[in-house]
Amino acid sequence: MKQLAFAALFSSILVTPALSFATASSSTRPYVLQYGSSPGQVNMDACTLDAASDHVRDVVNAGVIDGAVLLVARHGKVVLHRAYGRRDGNFAGPAAENPSMSRDAIFDLQSITKTFTAYIAVDLHDQGLLDLSAPVANYLPEFNTPEKSGVLVRDLVRFTSGHSIDAAASLVGDPDPWGTMLAEGLVATPGTMVFYSDIGYRLLGRVLEAAGGLPLDELVQERLTGPLGMKDTAWQPLVNMPSKALRFAGTGYSSVRETNGAPRYLRGETADEQDAWIESHTHAATGCDGAFSTAWDLALFGQMFLNRGARVVGYPGWGYCTPWMWTCDIELLASPALVEATIDLQTKDASGAPLGIHGATSSWLDDLLFANKSYGWELADADPGAHVVTGLYASPSAVSKIGGAGTFLTVDPDPSRDLVVVLLTNHGLPSFVGPDGIQVDGSGNLIWPGYENMLNGIAPNIVNDLVQLAITGP
């Protein structure tokens, strides 16, 4: 973390004229996230925002999910933050034991975890502790093989390492899951195609630990969640924040975690069985899944990207800070250029041509697996037929991240939008097996009916469309 000198401020943050202070974007001056007085304060239409809220309520009432929290912030002002339904999803116990959802509920983020991991990679690179262009073998000697010596750290971060979506065999029950993952073969030549990979991000976490000298969860706390004040964000919350257990949103049952095979309801435990096994048997956080958080904490994270890596400390009387305000200071967590690069298109070959697919895709899964990526995020794509959370009206620079248990984070850094949208639900992780599980169709394509049903049922893209349409001015 670096204090911004007065002169350096002008090279990274342009100060707007006084007349535009009321609507200046976070790119021109950093904001502190705080509640706004009304949507009109940031030129948003209250009725259209209510329509976005009504959509989430309708999804709950239709039984697609049992509960959710929605938060919308623009220009650093939270203009919508509501809770819907019940705290625990897919809960078979007495209704009296399932309270109403609260706005500060703590959710299983699943793959939104990857955005934390990617940020730490960029931050360590910024500090000279990690070289994104270096071979992974520089940090993990097991990669020093003919097959894997060409895998760069950047390839792990941008999903071009050549790893499959996950290990060939389940890691549950494996006495040495890290050894298994390190030995896992590749399915493509590194740097030649986009293939979304959980195993790649688990191994990226190990790279970051080698470079940063701390366990991954401690790196995240020291370099991200601590400085941003994300007090309700952690891996293994049952262990690391047990006093907040009543706020944990449950997602469903596990049939493999009890030795007698009895179903165990999951509240404060990651829904992914493989990551749960790794956490409990190796005492290590994983870089792909496992983090838990609230809508507010994720909005703090998103606002940092809108602020181009800056955070405001002290007392900013108007919710923002400029160099000549004596009551506040501006600090950079990472350089603006690297923060912007984190959410920019990164899946390009040496000539600058995109490696991933763009435009219409056959499914949400196709877009997740093969579409172009930034560092850890999915990119906006307004082409007809694209399956993207950002929707039809987001700016081309918008990014989003899907968590497999029904959590969604969207950041639109375009100065005319300056938005963070957080939608967290207790849908639960769709099954990997059976008729709704991952399978190969008659044409040889990977399909995941349960995942498609979740995305189509919740329709986070519709929420984002309505939020974008609510914007009435700069």
Side-chain angles (χ1 to χ4, degrees), residues 38-40 42-56 70-74 77-82 84 419 421 463-464 466-471:
S38 70
V42 290
N43 293 318
M44 297 191 80
D45 177 65
C47 291
T48 311
L49 284 177
D50 282 341
S53 177
D54 290 344
H55 171 84
V56 178
L70 174 62
L71 183 151
V72 177
R74 186 175 192 227
K77 298 293 188 293
V78 176
V79 294
L80 176 62
H81 189 192
R82 296 176 188 170
Y84 314 83
L419 280 170
V421 183
V463 174
N464 273 319
L466 291 166
V467 170
Q468 293 279 354
L469 290 170
I471 296 173

PDB file of all heavy atoms in Angstrom, residues 38-40 42-56 70-74 77-82 84 419 421 463-464 466-471:
ATOM      1  N   SER A  38     -30.789   9.347  -1.718  1.00  0.00           N
ATOM      2  CA  SER A  38     -31.822   8.878  -2.645  1.00  0.00           C
ATOM      3  C   SER A  38     -31.153   8.523  -3.956  1.00  0.00           C
ATOM      4  O   SER A  38     -30.048   9.002  -4.253  1.00  0.00           O
ATOM      5  CB  SER A  38     -32.878   9.960  -2.884  1.00  0.00           C
ATOM      6  OG  SER A  38     -32.326  11.016  -3.650  1.00  0.00           O
ATOM      7  N   PRO A  39     -31.792   7.707  -4.804  1.00  0.00           N
ATOM      8  CA  PRO A  39     -31.214   7.417  -6.118  1.00  0.00           C
ATOM      9  C   PRO A  39     -30.969   8.673  -6.949  1.00  0.00           C
ATOM     10  O   PRO A  39     -30.002   8.757  -7.706  1.00  0.00           O
ATOM     11  CB  PRO A  39     -32.247   6.496  -6.767  1.00  0.00           C
ATOM     12  CG  PRO A  39     -32.931   5.831  -5.612  1.00  0.00           C
ATOM     13  CD  PRO A  39     -32.992   6.885  -4.545  1.00  0.00           C
ATOM     14  N   GLY A  40     -31.840   9.669  -6.788  1.00  0.00           N
ATOM     15  CA  GLY A  40     -31.675  10.891  -7.547  1.00  0.00           C
ATOM     16  C   GLY A  40     -30.380  11.614  -7.253  1.00  0.00           C
ATOM     17  O   GLY A  40     -29.888  12.387  -8.080  1.00  0.00           O
ATOM     18  N   VAL A  42     -27.514  10.468  -7.303  1.00  0.00           N
ATOM     19  CA  VAL A  42     -26.505  10.037  -8.280  1.00  0.00           C
ATOM     20  C   VAL A  42     -27.145   9.816  -9.650  1.00  0.00           C
ATOM     21  O   VAL A  42     -26.683   9.010 -10.451  1.00  0.00           O
ATOM     22  CB  VAL A  42     -25.774   8.767  -7.801  1.00  0.00           C
ATOM     23  CG1 VAL A  42     -24.874   9.086  -6.627  1.00  0.00           C
ATOM     24  CG2 VAL A  42     -26.754   7.639  -7.459  1.00  0.00           C
ATOM     25  N   ASN A  43     -28.218  10.548  -9.913  1.00  0.00           N
ATOM     26  CA  ASN A  43     -28.887  10.515 -11.212  1.00  0.00           C
ATOM     27  C   ASN A  43     -29.326   9.108 -11.598  1.00  0.00           C
ATOM     28  O   ASN A  43     -28.994   8.583 -12.669  1.00  0.00           O
ATOM     29  CB  ASN A  43     -27.977  11.103 -12.293  1.00  0.00           C
ATOM     30  CG  ASN A  43     -27.729  12.583 -12.096  1.00  0.00           C
ATOM     31  OD1 ASN A  43     -28.646  13.336 -11.759  1.00  0.00           O
ATOM     32  ND2 ASN A  43     -26.491  13.002 -12.285  1.00  0.00           N
ATOM     33  N   MET A  44     -30.098   8.493 -10.706  1.00  0.00           N
ATOM     34  CA  MET A  44     -30.710   7.203 -10.986  1.00  0.00           C
ATOM     35  C   MET A  44     -32.198   7.283 -10.671  1.00  0.00           C
ATOM     36  O   MET A  44     -32.617   7.978  -9.731  1.00  0.00           O
ATOM     37  CB  MET A  44     -30.054   6.081 -10.184  1.00  0.00           C
ATOM     38  CG  MET A  44     -28.591   5.867 -10.509  1.00  0.00           C
ATOM     39  SD  MET A  44     -27.918   4.349  -9.792  1.00  0.00           S
ATOM     40  CE  MET A  44     -28.526   3.118 -10.976  1.00  0.00           C
ATOM     41  N   ASP A  45     -32.996   6.570 -11.448  1.00  0.00           N
ATOM     42  CA  ASP A  45     -34.443   6.586 -11.310  1.00  0.00           C
ATOM     43  C   ASP A  45     -34.885   5.544 -10.281  1.00  0.00           C
ATOM     44  O   ASP A  45     -34.596   4.345 -10.434  1.00  0.00           O
ATOM     45  CB  ASP A  45     -35.101   6.302 -12.659  1.00  0.00           C
ATOM     46  CG  ASP A  45     -36.607   6.246 -12.560  1.00  0.00           C
ATOM     47  OD1 ASP A  45     -37.216   7.281 -12.256  1.00  0.00           O
ATOM     48  OD2 ASP A  45     -37.163   5.151 -12.758  1.00  0.00           O
ATOM     49  N   ALA A  46     -35.566   5.980  -9.257  1.00  0.00           N
ATOM     50  CA  ALA A  46     -35.977   5.093  -8.167  1.00  0.00           C
ATOM     51  C   ALA A  46     -36.929   4.001  -8.644  1.00  0.00           C
ATOM     52  O   ALA A  46     -36.847   2.855  -8.185  1.00  0.00           O
ATOM     53  CB  ALA A  46     -36.616   5.903  -7.043  1.00  0.00           C
ATOM     54  N   CYS A  47     -37.823   4.329  -9.562  1.00  0.00           N
ATOM     55  CA  CYS A  47     -38.803   3.339 -10.023  1.00  0.00           C
ATOM     56  C   CYS A  47     -38.132   2.206 -10.793  1.00  0.00           C
ATOM     57  O   CYS A  47     -38.508   1.039 -10.649  1.00  0.00           O
ATOM     58  CB  CYS A  47     -39.868   4.010 -10.882  1.00  0.00           C
ATOM     59  SG  CYS A  47     -40.962   5.118  -9.962  1.00  0.00           S
ATOM     60  N   THR A  48     -37.140   2.534 -11.597  1.00  0.00           N
ATOM     61  CA  THR A  48     -36.445   1.489 -12.353  1.00  0.00           C
ATOM     62  C   THR A  48     -35.608   0.620 -11.424  1.00  0.00           C
ATOM     63  O   THR A  48     -35.522  -0.599 -11.614  1.00  0.00           O
ATOM     64  CB  THR A  48     -35.576   2.105 -13.455  1.00  0.00           C
ATOM     65  OG1 THR A  48     -36.346   3.049 -14.197  1.00  0.00           O
ATOM     66  CG2 THR A  48     -35.063   1.029 -14.405  1.00  0.00           C
ATOM     67  N   LEU A  49     -35.004   1.230 -10.407  1.00  0.00           N
ATOM     68  CA  LEU A  49     -34.299   0.430  -9.408  1.00  0.00           C
ATOM     69  C   LEU A  49     -35.259  -0.476  -8.664  1.00  0.00           C
ATOM     70  O   LEU A  49     -34.936  -1.629  -8.342  1.00  0.00           O
ATOM     71  CB  LEU A  49     -33.562   1.339  -8.424  1.00  0.00           C
ATOM     72  CG  LEU A  49     -32.275   1.994  -8.919  1.00  0.00           C
ATOM     73  CD1 LEU A  49     -31.713   2.924  -7.846  1.00  0.00           C
ATOM     74  CD2 LEU A  49     -31.234   0.940  -9.291  1.00  0.00           C
ATOM     75  N   ASP A  50     -36.453   0.018  -8.386  1.00  0.00           N
ATOM     76  CA  ASP A  50     -37.463  -0.829  -7.744  1.00  0.00           C
ATOM     77  C   ASP A  50     -37.821  -2.018  -8.634  1.00  0.00           C
ATOM     78  O   ASP A  50     -38.108  -3.112  -8.131  1.00  0.00           O
ATOM     79  CB  ASP A  50     -38.726  -0.015  -7.436  1.00  0.00           C
ATOM     80  CG  ASP A  50     -38.571   0.863  -6.206  1.00  0.00           C
ATOM     81  OD1 ASP A  50     -37.666   0.593  -5.391  1.00  0.00           O
ATOM     82  OD2 ASP A  50     -39.365   1.825  -6.067  1.00  0.00           O
ATOM     83  N   ALA A  51     -37.801  -1.812  -9.945  1.00  0.00           N
ATOM     84  CA  ALA A  51     -38.085  -2.926 -10.856  1.00  0.00           C
ATOM     85  C   ALA A  51     -37.004  -3.997 -10.744  1.00  0.00           C
ATOM     86  O   ALA A  51     -37.300  -5.202 -10.808  1.00  0.00           O
ATOM     87  CB  ALA A  51     -38.188  -2.417 -12.290  1.00  0.00           C
ATOM     88  N   ALA A  52     -35.739  -3.578 -10.582  1.00  0.00           N
ATOM     89  CA  ALA A  52     -34.668  -4.547 -10.364  1.00  0.00           C
ATOM     90  C   ALA A  52     -34.891  -5.306  -9.068  1.00  0.00           C
ATOM     91  O   ALA A  52     -34.726  -6.533  -9.000  1.00  0.00           O
ATOM     92  CB  ALA A  52     -33.320  -3.832 -10.338  1.00  0.00           C
ATOM     93  N   SER A  53     -35.293  -4.593  -8.039  1.00  0.00           N
ATOM     94  CA  SER A  53     -35.597  -5.229  -6.757  1.00  0.00           C
ATOM     95  C   SER A  53     -36.786  -6.175  -6.879  1.00  0.00           C
ATOM     96  O   SER A  53     -36.772  -7.289  -6.333  1.00  0.00           O
ATOM     97  CB  SER A  53     -35.880  -4.152  -5.711  1.00  0.00           C
ATOM     98  OG  SER A  53     -36.242  -4.714  -4.479  1.00  0.00           O
ATOM     99  N   ASP A  54     -37.805  -5.743  -7.600  1.00  0.00           N
ATOM    100  CA  ASP A  54     -38.983  -6.595  -7.792  1.00  0.00           C
ATOM    101  C   ASP A  54     -38.623  -7.886  -8.519  1.00  0.00           C
ATOM    102  O   ASP A  54     -39.203  -8.949  -8.242  1.00  0.00           O
ATOM    103  CB  ASP A  54     -40.051  -5.843  -8.590  1.00  0.00           C
ATOM    104  CG  ASP A  54     -40.699  -4.719  -7.804  1.00  0.00           C
ATOM    105  OD1 ASP A  54     -40.549  -4.694  -6.564  1.00  0.00           O
ATOM    106  OD2 ASP A  54     -41.331  -3.841  -8.436  1.00  0.00           O
ATOM    107  N   HIS A  55     -37.684  -7.804  -9.458  1.00  0.00           N
ATOM    108  CA  HIS A  55     -37.258  -9.019 -10.166  1.00  0.00           C
ATOM    109  C   HIS A  55     -36.681 -10.028  -9.182  1.00  0.00           C
ATOM    110  O   HIS A  55     -37.024 -11.220  -9.240  1.00  0.00           O
ATOM    111  CB  HIS A  55     -36.216  -8.671 -11.224  1.00  0.00           C
ATOM    112  CG  HIS A  55     -35.585  -9.885 -11.845  1.00  0.00           C
ATOM    113  ND1 HIS A  55     -36.165 -10.571 -12.899  1.00  0.00           N
ATOM    114  CD2 HIS A  55     -34.444 -10.559 -11.544  1.00  0.00           C
ATOM    115  CE1 HIS A  55     -35.404 -11.605 -13.216  1.00  0.00           C
ATOM    116  NE2 HIS A  55     -34.354 -11.615 -12.412  1.00  0.00           N
ATOM    117  N   VAL A  56     -35.822  -9.577  -8.281  1.00  0.00           N
ATOM    118  CA  VAL A  56     -35.247 -10.499  -7.297  1.00  0.00           C
ATOM    119  C   VAL A  56     -36.330 -11.064  -6.402  1.00  0.00           C
ATOM    120  O   VAL A  56     -36.362 -12.271  -6.111  1.00  0.00           O
ATOM    121  CB  VAL A  56     -34.163  -9.786  -6.463  1.00  0.00           C
ATOM    122  CG1 VAL A  56     -33.597 -10.729  -5.407  1.00  0.00           C
ATOM    123  CG2 VAL A  56     -33.051  -9.268  -7.366  1.00  0.00           C
ATOM    124  N   LEU A  70     -29.526  -7.803  -2.474  1.00  0.00           N
ATOM    125  CA  LEU A  70     -29.151  -7.012  -3.646  1.00  0.00           C
ATOM    126  C   LEU A  70     -28.625  -5.662  -3.178  1.00  0.00           C
ATOM    127  O   LEU A  70     -29.245  -5.004  -2.327  1.00  0.00           O
ATOM    128  CB  LEU A  70     -30.365  -6.810  -4.562  1.00  0.00           C
ATOM    129  CG  LEU A  70     -30.183  -5.887  -5.781  1.00  0.00           C
ATOM    130  CD1 LEU A  70     -29.135  -6.435  -6.740  1.00  0.00           C
ATOM    131  CD2 LEU A  70     -31.524  -5.676  -6.492  1.00  0.00           C
ATOM    132  N   LEU A  71     -27.490  -5.244  -3.729  1.00  0.00           N
ATOM    133  CA  LEU A  71     -26.911  -3.930  -3.425  1.00  0.00           C
ATOM    134  C   LEU A  71     -26.494  -3.274  -4.735  1.00  0.00           C
ATOM    135  O   LEU A  71     -25.871  -3.910  -5.591  1.00  0.00           O
ATOM    136  CB  LEU A  71     -25.703  -4.068  -2.488  1.00  0.00           C
ATOM    137  CG  LEU A  71     -25.024  -2.787  -2.011  1.00  0.00           C
ATOM    138  CD1 LEU A  71     -24.380  -2.991  -0.632  1.00  0.00           C
ATOM    139  CD2 LEU A  71     -23.971  -2.268  -2.981  1.00  0.00           C
ATOM    140  N   VAL A  72     -26.838  -1.990  -4.863  1.00  0.00           N
ATOM    141  CA  VAL A  72     -26.442  -1.190  -6.025  1.00  0.00           C
ATOM    142  C   VAL A  72     -25.784   0.086  -5.520  1.00  0.00           C
ATOM    143  O   VAL A  72     -26.347   0.775  -4.648  1.00  0.00           O
ATOM    144  CB  VAL A  72     -27.648  -0.838  -6.911  1.00  0.00           C
ATOM    145  CG1 VAL A  72     -27.221   0.064  -8.071  1.00  0.00           C
ATOM    146  CG2 VAL A  72     -28.329  -2.101  -7.428  1.00  0.00           C
ATOM    147  N   ALA A  73     -24.598   0.402  -6.046  1.00  0.00           N
ATOM    148  CA  ALA A  73     -23.910   1.639  -5.684  1.00  0.00           C
ATOM    149  C   ALA A  73     -23.449   2.344  -6.948  1.00  0.00           C
ATOM    150  O   ALA A  73     -22.961   1.711  -7.886  1.00  0.00           O
ATOM    151  CB  ALA A  73     -22.722   1.348  -4.777  1.00  0.00           C
ATOM    152  N   ARG A  74     -23.603   3.659  -6.944  1.00  0.00           N
ATOM    153  CA  ARG A  74     -23.100   4.486  -8.052  1.00  0.00           C
ATOM    154  C   ARG A  74     -22.401   5.714  -7.477  1.00  0.00           C
ATOM    155  O   ARG A  74     -22.893   6.315  -6.513  1.00  0.00           O
ATOM    156  CB  ARG A  74     -24.245   4.917  -8.971  1.00  0.00           C
ATOM    157  CG  ARG A  74     -23.734   5.647 -10.215  1.00  0.00           C
ATOM    158  CD  ARG A  74     -24.832   5.970 -11.202  1.00  0.00           C
ATOM    159  NE  ARG A  74     -24.236   6.396 -12.454  1.00  0.00           N
ATOM    160  CZ  ARG A  74     -24.617   7.472 -13.155  1.00  0.00           C
ATOM    161  NH1 ARG A  74     -25.622   8.224 -12.735  1.00  0.00           N
ATOM    162  NH2 ARG A  74     -24.007   7.790 -14.286  1.00  0.00           N
ATOM    163  N   LYS A  77     -22.128   5.911  -3.790  1.00  0.00           N
ATOM    164  CA  LYS A  77     -23.337   5.993  -2.969  1.00  0.00           C
ATOM    165  C   LYS A  77     -24.183   4.728  -3.148  1.00  0.00           C
ATOM    166  O   LYS A  77     -24.554   4.374  -4.279  1.00  0.00           O
ATOM    167  CB  LYS A  77     -24.181   7.205  -3.352  1.00  0.00           C
ATOM    168  CG  LYS A  77     -23.475   8.540  -3.147  1.00  0.00           C
ATOM    169  CD  LYS A  77     -23.238   8.825  -1.675  1.00  0.00           C
ATOM    170  CE  LYS A  77     -22.718  10.245  -1.451  1.00  0.00           C
ATOM    171  NZ  LYS A  77     -21.352  10.448  -2.007  1.00  0.00           N
ATOM    172  N   VAL A  78     -24.483   4.066  -2.063  1.00  0.00           N
ATOM    173  CA  VAL A  78     -25.354   2.894  -2.102  1.00  0.00           C
ATOM    174  C   VAL A  78     -26.792   3.382  -2.178  1.00  0.00           C
ATOM    175  O   VAL A  78     -27.287   4.047  -1.259  1.00  0.00           O
ATOM    176  CB  VAL A  78     -25.148   2.005  -0.864  1.00  0.00           C
ATOM    177  CG1 VAL A  78     -26.134   0.844  -0.862  1.00  0.00           C
ATOM    178  CG2 VAL A  78     -23.708   1.479  -0.825  1.00  0.00           C
ATOM    179  N   VAL A  79     -27.460   3.076  -3.280  1.00  0.00           N
ATOM    180  CA  VAL A  79     -28.816   3.572  -3.505  1.00  0.00           C
ATOM    181  C   VAL A  79     -29.859   2.469  -3.413  1.00  0.00           C
ATOM    182  O   VAL A  79     -31.065   2.746  -3.446  1.00  0.00           O
ATOM    183  CB  VAL A  79     -28.919   4.279  -4.873  1.00  0.00           C
ATOM    184  CG1 VAL A  79     -28.078   5.542  -4.865  1.00  0.00           C
ATOM    185  CG2 VAL A  79     -28.488   3.358  -6.009  1.00  0.00           C
ATOM    186  N   LEU A  80     -29.416   1.224  -3.301  1.00  0.00           N
ATOM    187  CA  LEU A  80     -30.330   0.102  -3.114  1.00  0.00           C
ATOM    188  C   LEU A  80     -29.583  -0.977  -2.344  1.00  0.00           C
ATOM    189  O   LEU A  80     -28.491  -1.392  -2.743  1.00  0.00           O
ATOM    190  CB  LEU A  80     -30.801  -0.445  -4.466  1.00  0.00           C
ATOM    191  CG  LEU A  80     -31.700  -1.686  -4.446  1.00  0.00           C
ATOM    192  CD1 LEU A  80     -33.002  -1.397  -3.710  1.00  0.00           C
ATOM    193  CD2 LEU A  80     -31.994  -2.171  -5.865  1.00  0.00           C
ATOM    194  N   HIS A  81     -30.175  -1.426  -1.232  1.00  0.00           N
ATOM    195  CA  HIS A  81     -29.582  -2.500  -0.426  1.00  0.00           C
ATOM    196  C   HIS A  81     -30.725  -3.175   0.318  1.00  0.00           C
ATOM    197  O   HIS A  81     -31.203  -2.660   1.328  1.00  0.00           O
ATOM    198  CB  HIS A  81     -28.538  -1.935   0.548  1.00  0.00           C
ATOM    199  CG  HIS A  81     -27.734  -2.981   1.242  1.00  0.00           C
ATOM    200  ND1 HIS A  81     -26.913  -2.711   2.326  1.00  0.00           N
ATOM    201  CD2 HIS A  81     -27.621  -4.325   1.023  1.00  0.00           C
ATOM    202  CE1 HIS A  81     -26.329  -3.822   2.734  1.00  0.00           C
ATOM    203  NE2 HIS A  81     -26.751  -4.805   1.962  1.00  0.00           N
ATOM    204  N   ARG A  82     -31.172  -4.306  -0.222  1.00  0.00           N
ATOM    205  CA  ARG A  82     -32.350  -4.973   0.327  1.00  0.00           C
ATOM    206  C   ARG A  82     -32.120  -6.466   0.450  1.00  0.00           C
ATOM    207  O   ARG A  82     -31.329  -7.054  -0.289  1.00  0.00           O
ATOM    208  CB  ARG A  82     -33.566  -4.726  -0.576  1.00  0.00           C
ATOM    209  CG  ARG A  82     -33.984  -3.265  -0.645  1.00  0.00           C
ATOM    210  CD  ARG A  82     -35.116  -3.031  -1.620  1.00  0.00           C
ATOM    211  NE  ARG A  82     -35.365  -1.606  -1.802  1.00  0.00           N
ATOM    212  CZ  ARG A  82     -36.167  -1.083  -2.730  1.00  0.00           C
ATOM    213  NH1 ARG A  82     -36.812  -1.894  -3.565  1.00  0.00           N
ATOM    214  NH2 ARG A  82     -36.331   0.229  -2.818  1.00  0.00           N
ATOM    215  N   TYR A  84     -34.181 -10.324   0.863  1.00  0.00           N
ATOM    216  CA  TYR A  84     -35.411 -10.980   0.418  1.00  0.00           C
ATOM    217  C   TYR A  84     -35.448 -12.419   0.952  1.00  0.00           C
ATOM    218  O   TYR A  84     -34.415 -13.103   0.988  1.00  0.00           O
ATOM    219  CB  TYR A  84     -35.480 -11.033  -1.116  1.00  0.00           C
ATOM    220  CG  TYR A  84     -35.131  -9.742  -1.800  1.00  0.00           C
ATOM    221  CD1 TYR A  84     -33.786  -9.405  -2.032  1.00  0.00           C
ATOM    222  CD2 TYR A  84     -36.112  -8.849  -2.216  1.00  0.00           C
ATOM    223  CE1 TYR A  84     -33.449  -8.216  -2.663  1.00  0.00           C
ATOM    224  CE2 TYR A  84     -35.786  -7.655  -2.848  1.00  0.00           C
ATOM    225  CZ  TYR A  84     -34.456  -7.338  -3.072  1.00  0.00           C
ATOM    226  OH  TYR A  84     -34.121  -6.164  -3.687  1.00  0.00           O
ATOM    227  N   LEU A 419     -20.485   1.987 -11.581  1.00  0.00           N
ATOM    228  CA  LEU A 419     -21.447   1.136 -10.867  1.00  0.00           C
ATOM    229  C   LEU A 419     -20.802  -0.075 -10.211  1.00  0.00           C
ATOM    230  O   LEU A 419     -19.860  -0.661 -10.756  1.00  0.00           O
ATOM    231  CB  LEU A 419     -22.501   0.604 -11.838  1.00  0.00           C
ATOM    232  CG  LEU A 419     -23.670   1.483 -12.250  1.00  0.00           C
ATOM    233  CD1 LEU A 419     -24.423   0.809 -13.399  1.00  0.00           C
ATOM    234  CD2 LEU A 419     -24.621   1.732 -11.080  1.00  0.00           C
ATOM    235  N   VAL A 421     -22.693  -3.609  -8.677  1.00  0.00           N
ATOM    236  CA  VAL A 421     -23.948  -4.334  -8.440  1.00  0.00           C
ATOM    237  C   VAL A 421     -23.600  -5.685  -7.818  1.00  0.00           C
ATOM    238  O   VAL A 421     -22.819  -6.446  -8.398  1.00  0.00           O
ATOM    239  CB  VAL A 421     -24.749  -4.542  -9.738  1.00  0.00           C
ATOM    240  CG1 VAL A 421     -26.082  -5.234  -9.427  1.00  0.00           C
ATOM    241  CG2 VAL A 421     -24.988  -3.219 -10.451  1.00  0.00           C
ATOM    242  N   VAL A 463     -31.287  -8.128 -13.848  1.00  0.00           N
ATOM    243  CA  VAL A 463     -31.041  -7.167 -12.769  1.00  0.00           C
ATOM    244  C   VAL A 463     -30.082  -6.084 -13.255  1.00  0.00           C
ATOM    245  O   VAL A 463     -30.330  -4.881 -13.070  1.00  0.00           O
ATOM    246  CB  VAL A 463     -30.472  -7.881 -11.526  1.00  0.00           C
ATOM    247  CG1 VAL A 463     -30.078  -6.858 -10.456  1.00  0.00           C
ATOM    248  CG2 VAL A 463     -31.483  -8.865 -10.960  1.00  0.00           C
ATOM    249  N   ASN A 464     -28.996  -6.493 -13.901  1.00  0.00           N
ATOM    250  CA  ASN A 464     -28.032  -5.507 -14.385  1.00  0.00           C
ATOM    251  C   ASN A 464     -28.618  -4.622 -15.474  1.00  0.00           C
ATOM    252  O   ASN A 464     -28.320  -3.417 -15.533  1.00  0.00           O
ATOM    253  CB  ASN A 464     -26.775  -6.217 -14.888  1.00  0.00           C
ATOM    254  CG  ASN A 464     -25.776  -6.474 -13.775  1.00  0.00           C
ATOM    255  OD1 ASN A 464     -25.554  -5.628 -12.929  1.00  0.00           O
ATOM    256  ND2 ASN A 464     -25.180  -7.648 -13.769  1.00  0.00           N
ATOM    257  N   LEU A 466     -31.725  -3.627 -15.721  1.00  0.00           N
ATOM    258  CA  LEU A 466     -32.596  -2.645 -15.075  1.00  0.00           C
ATOM    259  C   LEU A 466     -31.783  -1.589 -14.325  1.00  0.00           C
ATOM    260  O   LEU A 466     -32.137  -0.404 -14.330  1.00  0.00           O
ATOM    261  CB  LEU A 466     -33.575  -3.349 -14.141  1.00  0.00           C
ATOM    262  CG  LEU A 466     -34.632  -4.193 -14.849  1.00  0.00           C
ATOM    263  CD1 LEU A 466     -35.340  -5.126 -13.872  1.00  0.00           C
ATOM    264  CD2 LEU A 466     -35.657  -3.281 -15.549  1.00  0.00           C
ATOM    265  N   VAL A 467     -30.695  -2.001 -13.710  1.00  0.00           N
ATOM    266  CA  VAL A 467     -29.836  -1.032 -13.019  1.00  0.00           C
ATOM    267  C   VAL A 467     -29.233  -0.052 -14.022  1.00  0.00           C
ATOM    268  O   VAL A 467     -29.208   1.169 -13.790  1.00  0.00           O
ATOM    269  CB  VAL A 467     -28.738  -1.756 -12.219  1.00  0.00           C
ATOM    270  CG1 VAL A 467     -27.694  -0.764 -11.708  1.00  0.00           C
ATOM    271  CG2 VAL A 467     -29.339  -2.525 -11.050  1.00  0.00           C
ATOM    272  N   GLN A 468     -28.755  -0.558 -15.145  1.00  0.00           N
ATOM    273  CA  GLN A 468     -28.196   0.324 -16.174  1.00  0.00           C
ATOM    274  C   GLN A 468     -29.264   1.293 -16.714  1.00  0.00           C
ATOM    275  O   GLN A 468     -28.995   2.485 -16.933  1.00  0.00           O
ATOM    276  CB  GLN A 468     -27.599  -0.496 -17.312  1.00  0.00           C
ATOM    277  CG  GLN A 468     -26.364  -1.303 -16.936  1.00  0.00           C
ATOM    278  CD  GLN A 468     -25.081  -0.486 -16.930  1.00  0.00           C
ATOM    279  OE1 GLN A 468     -25.069   0.682 -17.306  1.00  0.00           O
ATOM    280  NE2 GLN A 468     -24.004  -1.103 -16.477  1.00  0.00           N
ATOM    281  N   LEU A 469     -30.453   0.767 -16.919  1.00  0.00           N
ATOM    282  CA  LEU A 469     -31.533   1.610 -17.441  1.00  0.00           C
ATOM    283  C   LEU A 469     -32.001   2.643 -16.443  1.00  0.00           C
ATOM    284  O   LEU A 469     -32.669   3.631 -16.805  1.00  0.00           O
ATOM    285  CB  LEU A 469     -32.711   0.735 -17.878  1.00  0.00           C
ATOM    286  CG  LEU A 469     -32.464  -0.125 -19.135  1.00  0.00           C
ATOM    287  CD1 LEU A 469     -33.597  -1.115 -19.322  1.00  0.00           C
ATOM    288  CD2 LEU A 469     -32.282   0.740 -20.365  1.00  0.00           C
ATOM    289  N   ALA A 470     -31.677   2.444 -15.176  1.00  0.00           N
ATOM    290  CA  ALA A 470     -32.053   3.403 -14.140  1.00  0.00           C
ATOM    291  C   ALA A 470     -31.203   4.677 -14.174  1.00  0.00           C
ATOM    292  O   ALA A 470     -31.563   5.682 -13.572  1.00  0.00           O
ATOM    293  CB  ALA A 470     -31.949   2.763 -12.757  1.00  0.00           C
ATOM    294  N   ILE A 471     -30.091   4.647 -14.897  1.00  0.00           N
ATOM    295  CA  ILE A 471     -29.202   5.806 -14.966  1.00  0.00           C
ATOM    296  C   ILE A 471     -29.857   6.884 -15.819  1.00  0.00           C
ATOM    297  O   ILE A 471     -30.236   6.643 -16.973  1.00  0.00           O
ATOM    298  CB  ILE A 471     -27.830   5.425 -15.538  1.00  0.00           C
ATOM    299  CG1 ILE A 471     -27.127   4.440 -14.606  1.00  0.00           C
ATOM    300  CG2 ILE A 471     -26.975   6.660 -15.756  1.00  0.00           C
ATOM    301  CD1 ILE A 471     -25.835   3.878 -15.169  1.00  0.00           C
TER     302      ILE A 471
END
